Amino acid sequence: MRAQPDTPLAAAGSTDPRQALAARYAAVRARSLALAAPLSAEDQCVQSMPDASPTKWHLAHTTWFFEAVVLQAFQPDYAVHDPRYLYLFNSYYEALGPRHPRPQRGLLTRPALAEVHAYRAQVDAAMVLLLRTVDAAQWTALADMVELGLQHEEQHQELLLTDILHLLSCNPLLPAYQAPVADADLPASPVQWLAMEGGTYTVGHAGAAFAFDNETPQHPVLLQPYAIADRLVTCGEYLDFIHDGGYRNPAWWLSDGWAMVNAQGWQAPAYWLAPGDPRAPSDHWQQFGLGGVRVLDHHAPVTHVSFYEAAAFADWAGARLPTEFEWEAAFGHAAITQMLGPAWQWTRSSYEPYPGFRPRSGAVREYNGKFMVGQQVLRGASVATPPGHGRKTYRNFFPPAARWQFSGIRLAKDAA
């Protein structure tokens, strides 16, 4: 669903930095609307759980970012579209004022979807004008903040898809978001183990290309010799874990994970339908996805597992999860596949600041650093990640019980 730029400044391949950034702005903003297009107004208003947000809120919040963080900072005479929106669509930026409670975003039947679209249109027009007219002295700072806003919107494009999948899974009709995509239906090759030497590796981002602050600074890490799987764990392999009593045997589970299994009644990954499930009766295991209900593809990577499930499977398989640094050190080796898709990959690393980490200045200092506790790092990208958004140093993070993301498993083990 790649939308094309639709403004006069969107000159494809332009060498003028203003035109190039305007073109990227137009394309990213149009893609959000294209992703929402298959959904009804009713679909776009509902919030299925506190950790998810309505599609309409995603469309408004990403617009709020450009209005509250960019336009108000770089255009002193800018008149906000509606002062109430600064409260409604703030997410967690304490420095920018109070906000509507996150668990209550689904109650925002007003403003209507058409009003949110009008909000986007007004902010887009103001942004195009700002990109054209800002003085040279402010250009570098503006371009940096606009790029952050676009990367932020791409993150919300992924969240839009994962959140709508969760919402549709709560509907007994199990409606599809889009037409099903045909499986390659190719058996996964046997797992090969890539042996990695121990020693000092340089990890983290450095250079002029964009990165979030949590990817910096670049620094050395000392790794012991290890081996890492060349591909992700498949649904068929995970089904073997289930059939071997994986969800009934506490021996494989971390204590908190076993508590979640019992409290939540987990018996399989999220969106799996066991044989005989009344919502879609079948003699086979099935899986609900963006394309609706389909027979479980045993060869496809398993997705929608929590960190707890990933760690339990790894223990059952006689392996472990890689650390985020082991994952990054293996990135790019010719023998390894599926590093940037189709699933985010849980690591054994807690989400911590790198040595010497400094958050960005201003309101966006709250972007990443304030969440560096109680979360696990995931590496890679998923089928929902916008094209070009993933990279070697990208650090995604979620609580260990999270399952609604396209999160999967890559195994590692200590060197023999």
Side-chain angles (χ1 to χ4, degrees), residues 17-277:
R18 293 179 185 247
Q19 290 189 347
L21 187 55
R24 173 159 160 69
Y25 179 88
V28 171
R29 297 284 286 169
R31 186 177 189 270
S32 296
L33 293 178
L35 290 173
L39 304 170
S40 68
E42 293 85 355
D43 290 332
Q44 296 190 48
C45 187
V46 179
Q47 181 178 21
S48 55
M49 64 171 174
D51 286 338
S53 297
T55 296
K56 185 174 73 173
W57 188 90
H58 285 300
L59 296 178
H61 167 69
T62 50
T63 304
W64 167 92
F65 187 97
F66 286 109
E67 182 173 65
V69 177
V70 181
L71 286 167
Q72 287 194 296
F74 289 90
Q75 187 175 322
D77 61 346
Y78 175 78
V80 298
H81 179 82
D82 186 326
R84 298 172 299 176
Y85 289 10
L86 298 177
Y87 170 81
L88 288 181
F89 301 123
N90 185 357
S91 53
Y92 52 74
Y93 293 87
E94 300 283 354
L96 296 177
R99 59 205 176 278
H100 184 71
R102 178 176 180 173
Q104 298 177 22
R105 291 171 183 170
L107 300 179
L108 298 177
T109 57
R110 309 288 178 88
L113 181 60
E115 294 175 274
V116 169
H117 284 190
Y119 178 37
R120 287 180 67 89
Q122 176 173 316
V123 169
D124 286 348
M127 284 296 302
V128 168
L129 181 62
L130 179 62
L131 288 170
R132 181 188 292 129
T133 60
V134 70
D135 62 64
Q138 289 186 297
W139 168 252
T140 299
L142 172 65
D144 177 68
M145 197 58 65
V146 171
E147 182 58 38
L148 177 62
L150 295 175
Q151 296 280 341
H152 167 259
E153 181 141 356
E154 288 181 330
Q155 289 182 313
H156 278 271
Q157 289 171 355
E158 179 159 1
L159 289 170
L160 186 157
L161 292 175
T162 55
D163 291 355
I164 201 65
L165 176 61
H166 185 270
L167 170 65
L168 296 177
S169 77
C170 296
N171 187 321
L173 300 178
L174 295 177
Y177 161 78
Q178 63 187 18
V181 177
D183 279 332
D185 201 26
L186 297 175
S189 60
V191 172
Q192 303 295 318
W193 292 93
L194 175 65
M196 296 290 296
E197 296 181 357
T200 301
Y201 290 83
T202 299
V203 299
H205 174 82
F210 176 85
F212 290 110
D213 56 6
N214 65 356
E215 301 173 55
T216 64
Q218 193 174 76
H219 63 285
V221 296
L222 179 63
L223 301 180
Q224 298 301 313
Y226 67 100
I228 189 167
D230 69 327
R231 63 164 174 80
L232 304 183
V233 171
T234 67
C235 292
E237 290 164 340
Y238 199 89
L239 194 58
D240 290 340
F241 168 66
I242 294 174
H243 288 159
D244 196 38
Y247 284 87
R248 301 191 302 273
N249 187 346
W252 311 121
W253 294 82
L254 296 168
S255 178
D256 286 352
W258 184 243
M260 289 296 298
V261 168
N262 288 281
Q264 300 297 322
W266 290 350
Q267 300 181 42
Y271 311 138
W272 281 30
L273 287 73
D277 191 300

